[in-house]
Amino acid sequence: MIGYKSFTNCFPDSFPAKLLESIVPFDAPIEHELILRELYTKIHNFTYHPSPPRDYILINKSKGVARISPTFSAIDYYSYYFCTRIFEDEIAVNHTPGTFGGWRIGNQLLSKEKDGILEILGSAPDNSFNPYKWKEEWSKFQREAAKTIRGDYKCVVKLDIANFYDSINLHLLKDKMYSVIVPQKLIYLNLLIHFLSHWNKRIEGYATKFVGIPQDELSDSSRLLANFYLQDYDAHMFKLCNNINAQYLRYADDQIIYANNRTEAEYLVFESSKYLSKIGLNLNTAKVKYFENQFEYSTHWAFEIFNLLTNKSDSKHLNAAFEKYLFWKENKYDFKEQSLLKAFINCNFSLFKSNNRTRLIELLFQDDFIQKMNNWQMKRLYDNLSEENKKIFLSKTWSLIPLCNFNHYHYNLMKFYNKANLEFNEEYLINRINELKVTHHNTV
């Protein structure tokens, strides 16, 4: 077992501040030194056991479907962070070329507000230990995806693993980790599996979990484990693609395969589904999408529009980007509409032509879009608005409280109101949050 000093060195002093970025308020102050001492003692006396999550965040995935994201107590976040960081040397290595998302969690912890990393990307969580790394890795993935399509490939297929985190087999995960860690760390592997097997008592009672890792609010510890879980699969797909001059890319559970023709692309999808079944995973059939021309593929990813948004101080490019967005939308092109709207929030609205600015605000004020915003996006949008539009925006956000069933919206709305120093009926908002709480499973 490691000594107390080595244990405490795993945690930066900014760890409590990062936890306090949670949209779910903590009931008590986060006392860094006290938590470290308590957790260290419990781990080494074999008395540590995870508590039920503080709450479950209900996130709107669209079409009325909720993603359930737990948020843990402070000591459980310390525990989960420690249980993954201590294995970084073994599991945050040996990445297959073309795969992204397996970076170490021991990088510097950054705050969205203090460090100015407010732009949320398509495959990033609202909160994380280091938002910059999510942005950096996603940007690398996008650049590689854009570069590859300029080659001679005639067919591209986009894949997605169904219920990825929820389907990870804990026994297989433990075996994979056991094969790479040094014997001195075995106690911490057992601690990690203990946490993963028992964190969800509010829903599952005292039953031991055998499948699934939490897609929790901070998400970085699970991200690292999930990427490690796919390392053998990545190597398998990379080799298969190389054998027929195809190419494989992956970011989190999003995969892209570039093939010379449709037949080869379908063969690689078949082989992908076969291998995934061996580790308890499946492709999401509804999200398998083939592209057989470069225009269709490039439009889907909106590479051209995102390139125009690279310099957000260039009025000409901003207006060209938005006008192309409108043209594609009006002509019902398949492209990343929601991701682009989020990107437009980060632009200076004064640089848009008057008619474009009016239309952009109309789109941003749609009920469905507002309900999916996080507090950083709400604050950025609010700061970009005229005084008249601020009033309209606040009226719309308040009117959606009883209509929206996803507490992700209500928690973020409360955080936004507090950040903007706005007066509001906090009791009314908290009552609505309590109405939406996920209750424990009743077996009677």
Side-chain angles (χ1 to χ4, degrees):
M1 294 186 183
I2 65 173
Y4 182 67
K5 184 175 182 181
S6 297
F7 174 76
T8 59
N9 285 342
C10 291
F11 301 89
D13 291 338
S14 59
F15 198 81
K18 171 52 65 176
L19 295 188
L20 289 172
E21 286 189 353
S22 169
I23 60 173
V24 181
F26 285 86
D27 293 332
I30 299 175
E31 302 287 351
H32 187 58
E33 294 295 335
L34 290 177
I35 291 175
L36 288 174
R37 177 60 66 183
E38 179 185 355
L39 179 60
Y40 182 81
T41 301
K42 285 184 173 182
I43 289 173
H44 288 257
N45 288 339
F46 303 100
T47 57
Y48 169 75
H49 195 76
S51 303
R54 293 182 296 129
D55 201 358
Y56 297 87
I57 302 170
L58 309 175
I59 301 170
N60 186 352
K61 292 186 66 177
S62 75
K63 299 180 181 179
V65 177
R67 189 179 83 223
I68 315 299
S69 179
T71 185
F72 300 126
S73 67
I75 193 171
D76 287 338
Y77 265 123
Y78 275 76
S79 174
Y80 196 23
Y81 178 85
F82 170 72
C83 285
T84 43
R85 178 156 191 199
I86 199 169
F87 296 121
E88 284 183 319
D89 290 342
E90 292 87 3
I91 67 175
V93 293
N94 299 324
H95 304 308
T96 297
T99 61
F100 305 86
W103 67 89
R104 302 167 69 95
I105 63 171
N107 296 288
Q108 180 184 4
L109 303 193
L110 297 179
S111 163
K112 287 178 181 292
E113 292 165 305
K114 291 181 180 178
D115 298 287
I117 309 167
L118 296 174
E119 189 166 349
I120 304 300
L121 301 157
S123 294
D126 285 353
N127 200 4
S128 67
F129 289 126
N130 190 340
Y132 174 78
K133 288 299 296 183
W134 285 89
K135 180 176 181 178
E136 180 183 56
E137 289 284 303
W138 176 250
S139 297
K140 287 179 183 177
F141 174 71
Q142 280 194 313
R143 286 196 299 270
E144 191 64 28
K147 181 178 69 175
T148 304
I149 194 58
R150 293 196 291 270
D152 296 326
Y153 300 111
K154 298 295 187 285
C155 185
V156 184
V157 57
K158 183 174 177 287
L159 313 173
D160 181 271
I161 298 174
N163 304 312
F164 179 29
Y165 282 29
D166 292 335
S167 303
I168 290 176
N169 184 297
L170 298 184
H171 180 74
L172 290 178
L173 175 63
K174 183 178 181 180
D175 283 351
K176 287 174 179 288
M177 294 185 69
Y178 184 83
S179 69
V180 299
I181 67 171
V182 296
Q184 296 91 326
K185 293 183 180 180
L186 180 58
I187 182 176
Y188 301 116
L189 176 57
N190 291 333
L191 175 65
L192 171 64
I193 299 302
H194 176 70
F195 174 85
L196 294 174
S197 301
H198 297 98
W199 65 264
N200 201 23
K201 290 196 296 294
R202 182 181 293 181
I203 301 297
E204 299 176 357
Y206 288 109
T208 299
K209 283 177 64 68
F210 297 102
V211 177
I213 63 175
Q215 196 164 359
D216 60 285
E217 186 183 12
L218 281 170
S219 201
D220 276 297
S221 293
S222 291
R223 168 194 57 77
L224 184 57
L225 296 176
N227 273 275
F228 173 72
Y229 193 76
L230 288 179
Q231 279 191 355
D232 293 339
Y233 166 76
D234 289 335
H236 175 74
M237 292 304 300
F238 179 79
K239 182 178 179 180
L240 278 180
C241 288
N242 266 2
N243 288 342
I244 58 173
N245 295 316
Q247 186 165 352
Y248 168 73
L249 296 180
R250 181 180 65 79
Y251 176 90
D253 58 344
D254 293 326
Q255 303 171 60
I256 307 175
I257 293 173
Y258 302 84
N260 299 301
N261 52 60
R262 176 72 178 243
T263 300
E264 288 185 359
E266 290 184 353
Y267 160 73
L268 291 168
V269 171
F270 171 70
E271 290 297 327
S272 166
S273 59
K274 275 204 313 183
Y275 193 99
L276 287 173
S277 70
K278 297 176 184 178
I279 55 175
L281 302 176
N282 294 285
L283 292 175
N284 186 335
T285 307
K287 291 189 176 181
V288 175
K289 185 172 179 62
Y290 290 88
F291 302 91
E292 297 191 69
N293 66 73
Q294 290 192 10
F295 176 78
E296 184 184 9
Y297 173 79
S298 298
T299 302
H300 172 78
W301 285 96
F303 292 134
E304 185 178 358
I305 298 180
F306 278 116
N307 285 338
L308 288 169
L309 292 175
T310 302
N311 183 357
K312 292 184 172 61
S313 62
D314 188 322
S315 177
K316 182 179 178 181
H317 282 181
L318 291 186
N319 282 283
F322 185 66
E323 287 162 8
K324 187 168 290 290
Y325 169 92
L326 289 178
F327 178 80
W328 287 2
K329 181 177 177 63
E330 289 162 3
N331 286 276
K332 302 187 185 307
Y333 287 12
D334 170 31
F335 69 105
K336 294 184 172 293
E337 289 188 43
Q338 295 288 306
S339 296
L340 281 168
L341 278 182
K342 292 176 183 178
F344 285 127
I345 291 175
N346 290 279
C347 302
N348 183 344
F349 286 11
S350 68
L351 297 177
F352 287 97
K353 299 174 185 175
S354 177
N355 60 321
N356 285 339
R357 182 167 58 249
T358 299
R359 182 69 178 116
L360 173 59
I361 291 172
E362 287 176 358
L363 292 169
L364 296 174
F365 278 18
Q366 296 175 106
D367 289 355
D368 185 63
F369 185 76
I370 289 176
Q371 291 179 53
K372 293 177 181 176
M373 294 171 73
N374 59 46
N375 62 89
W376 291 284
Q377 293 160 347
M378 291 177 183
K379 182 66 164 58
R380 178 62 65 89
L381 173 57
Y382 181 76
D383 290 342
N384 243 327
L385 298 173
S386 66
E387 292 303 315
E388 180 182 355
N389 280 326
K390 283 181 178 178
K391 293 177 182 177
I392 297 172
F393 179 66
L394 293 178
S395 176
K396 288 185 71 69
T397 59
W398 193 258
S399 69
L400 290 172
I401 292 173
L403 303 177
C404 182
N405 295 318
F406 302 91
N407 67 7
H408 174 266
Y409 171 70
H410 305 89
Y411 274 126
N412 274 290
L413 188 63
M414 185 159 60
K415 194 104 175 176
F416 157 62
Y417 286 155
N418 286 322
K419 282 182 181 179
N421 296 314
L422 298 169
E423 293 184 4
F424 67 101
N425 187 339
E426 186 174 12
E427 181 180 1
Y428 173 71
L429 189 48
I430 290 174
N431 285 340
R432 179 59 177 151
I433 289 172
N434 289 332
E435 288 174 3
L436 297 170
K437 277 191 180 296
V438 175
T439 57
H440 66 82
H441 176 63
N442 188 348
T443 58
V444 179

